[in-house]
Amino acid sequence: QVQLVESGGGLVQSWGSLRLSCAASGRTFTFSNYAMGWSRQAPGKEREFVAAISWSGGSTRLADSVKGRFTISRDNAKNMVYLQMNSLKPEDTAVYYCAATTGYYLPREVTHFTSWGQGTQVTVSS
Protein backbone atom coordinates (compact mmCIF):
# COMPACT_ATOMS: atom_id res chain seq x y z
CA GLN A 1 0.00 0.00 0.00
CA VAL A 2 1.33 3.44 -0.90
CA GLN A 3 0.39 6.76 0.63
CA LEU A 4 0.66 9.91 -1.46
CA VAL A 5 0.65 13.47 -0.13
CA GLU A 6 0.57 16.45 -2.48
CA SER A 7 1.75 19.97 -1.74
CA GLY A 8 2.51 23.18 -3.58
CA GLY A 9 -0.91 24.22 -4.83
CA GLY A 10 -2.23 27.75 -4.51
CA LEU A 11 -3.48 30.84 -6.27
CA VAL A 12 -1.47 32.22 -9.18
CA GLN A 13 -2.07 34.72 -11.95
CA SER A 14 -2.23 33.77 -15.62
CA TRP A 15 1.19 33.02 -17.11
CA GLY A 16 2.54 32.33 -13.64
CA SER A 17 4.25 29.17 -12.40
CA LEU A 18 3.75 26.62 -9.65
CA ARG A 19 5.61 23.48 -8.66
CA LEU A 20 3.60 20.65 -7.18
CA SER A 21 5.28 18.01 -5.07
CA CYS A 22 4.14 14.55 -4.06
CA ALA A 23 5.67 12.57 -1.22
CA ALA A 24 5.21 8.82 -1.39
CA SER A 25 5.48 6.42 1.53
CA GLY A 26 4.36 3.02 2.66
CA ARG A 27 5.21 0.19 5.03
CA THR A 28 6.23 -2.32 2.39
CA PHE A 29 6.83 0.04 -0.45
CA THR A 30 9.57 0.51 -3.02
CA PHE A 31 9.09 3.82 -4.80
CA SER A 32 11.16 2.85 -7.81
CA ASN A 33 8.72 0.01 -8.55
CA TYR A 34 5.99 2.52 -9.33
CA ALA A 35 5.17 4.60 -12.36
CA MET A 36 3.90 7.94 -11.09
CA GLY A 37 1.68 10.63 -12.48
CA TRP A 38 -0.63 13.56 -12.05
CA SER A 39 -4.26 14.02 -12.90
CA ARG A 40 -6.64 16.91 -12.32
CA GLN A 41 -10.32 17.53 -11.82
CA ALA A 42 -12.06 20.82 -12.40
CA PRO A 43 -15.49 21.59 -10.90
CA GLY A 44 -18.23 19.79 -12.80
CA LYS A 45 -15.76 17.86 -14.95
CA GLU A 46 -14.34 14.38 -14.96
CA ARG A 47 -10.84 13.70 -13.71
CA GLU A 48 -8.37 13.96 -16.57
CA PHE A 49 -4.86 12.66 -17.15
CA VAL A 50 -2.11 15.29 -17.01
CA ALA A 51 1.28 13.59 -16.86
CA ALA A 52 3.09 10.32 -16.15
CA ILE A 53 6.66 9.22 -15.55
CA SER A 54 8.16 5.75 -15.67
CA TRP A 55 9.74 4.07 -12.65
CA SER A 56 13.24 5.18 -13.64
CA GLY A 57 12.25 8.64 -14.81
CA GLY A 58 13.57 7.84 -18.26
CA SER A 59 10.20 8.19 -19.97
CA THR A 60 7.49 10.79 -19.55
CA ARG A 61 4.08 11.43 -21.06
CA LEU A 62 2.10 14.67 -21.04
CA ALA A 63 -1.45 15.46 -22.04
CA ASP A 64 -1.67 17.57 -25.20
CA SER A 65 -3.23 20.41 -23.23
CA VAL A 66 -0.10 20.85 -21.10
CA LYS A 67 2.71 19.96 -23.49
CA GLY A 68 5.33 22.67 -23.65
CA ARG A 69 4.16 24.15 -20.34
CA PHE A 70 4.32 21.35 -17.74
CA THR A 71 7.18 19.03 -16.82
CA ILE A 72 7.04 15.92 -14.66
CA SER A 73 10.08 14.62 -12.80
CA ARG A 74 10.92 12.32 -9.90
CA ASP A 75 13.63 11.75 -7.31
CA ASN A 76 13.76 8.08 -6.36
CA ALA A 77 16.23 8.75 -3.55
CA LYS A 78 13.67 11.00 -1.85
CA ASN A 79 10.47 9.16 -2.89
CA MET A 80 9.23 12.35 -4.52
CA VAL A 81 7.52 13.26 -7.78
CA TYR A 82 7.09 16.80 -9.08
CA LEU A 83 4.98 18.70 -11.56
CA GLN A 84 6.47 21.98 -12.75
CA MET A 85 3.72 24.11 -14.24
CA ASN A 86 4.63 27.17 -16.29
CA SER A 87 2.57 29.60 -18.36
CA LEU A 88 -0.51 28.70 -16.36
CA LYS A 89 -3.93 29.47 -17.78
CA PRO A 90 -7.32 29.85 -16.08
CA GLU A 91 -8.38 26.55 -17.65
CA ASP A 92 -5.65 24.83 -15.61
CA THR A 93 -7.67 25.57 -12.48
CA ALA A 94 -8.44 22.24 -10.80
CA VAL A 95 -7.64 19.94 -7.94
CA TYR A 96 -4.43 18.13 -8.85
CA TYR A 97 -3.94 14.55 -7.71
CA CYS A 98 -0.75 12.56 -7.46
CA ALA A 99 -1.13 8.95 -8.56
CA ALA A 100 0.85 5.72 -8.65
CA THR A 101 0.72 2.33 -10.31
CA THR A 102 2.78 -0.80 -10.76
CA GLY A 103 0.54 -2.03 -13.57
CA TYR A 104 1.82 0.16 -16.39
CA TYR A 105 5.26 1.23 -17.52
CA LEU A 106 4.02 4.66 -18.63
CA PRO A 107 0.33 5.29 -17.90
CA ARG A 108 -1.75 7.27 -20.35
CA GLU A 109 -5.14 7.29 -18.67
CA VAL A 110 -6.59 8.04 -15.27
CA THR A 111 -7.81 4.44 -15.01
CA HIS A 112 -4.23 3.15 -15.26
CA PHE A 113 -3.46 4.41 -11.76
CA THR A 114 -4.31 2.45 -8.62
CA SER A 115 -3.29 4.76 -5.76
CA TRP A 116 -4.24 8.40 -5.27
CA GLY A 117 -3.43 11.29 -3.00
CA GLN A 118 -5.97 13.66 -1.48
CA GLY A 119 -5.28 16.42 -3.99
CA THR A 120 -4.09 19.99 -3.92
CA GLN A 121 -6.01 22.98 -5.27
CA VAL A 122 -4.55 25.06 -8.09
CA THR A 123 -6.37 28.25 -9.00
CA VAL A 124 -5.26 30.42 -11.90
CA SER A 125 -6.77 33.89 -12.07
CA SER A 126 -7.16 35.79 -15.33
Side-chain angles (χ1 to χ4, degrees), residues 22 35-39 49 51-53 72 81 97-101 107 113 116:
C22 173
M36 301 295 296
W38 293 89
S39 294
F49 172 86
I53 188 166
I72 185 171
V81 63
Y97 297 91
C98 179
T101 183
F113 295 104
W116 296 91

Side-chain angles (χ1 to χ4, degrees), residues 34-124:
Y34 287 77
M36 301 295 296
W38 293 89
S39 294
R40 67 187 181 186
Q41 188 165 17
K45 295 187 177 181
E46 293 186 354
R47 192 171 299 191
E48 65 171 348
F49 172 86
V50 174
I53 188 166
S54 61
W55 64 269
S56 68
S59 299
T60 61
R61 190 191 307 277
L62 294 169
D64 288 344
S65 59
V66 305
K67 281 180 181 175
R69 301 187 297 122
F70 290 13
T71 304
I72 185 171
S73 61
R74 66 188 294 162
D75 185 338
N76 284 354
K78 296 181 178 179
N79 289 4
M80 297 289 294
V81 63
Y82 307 99
L83 185 68
Q84 178 67 44
M85 306 186 295
N86 299 327
S87 302
L88 283 161
K89 306 174 182 180
E91 51 263 44
D92 294 317
T93 294
V95 177
Y96 283 71
Y97 297 91
C98 179
T101 183
T102 57
Y104 290 85
Y105 172 72
L106 189 62
R108 63 166 60 89
E109 300 177 4
V110 168
T111 56
H112 289 177
F113 295 104
T114 55
S115 298
W116 296 91
Q118 293 299 306
T120 185
Q121 176 71 46
V122 172
T123 303
V124 184

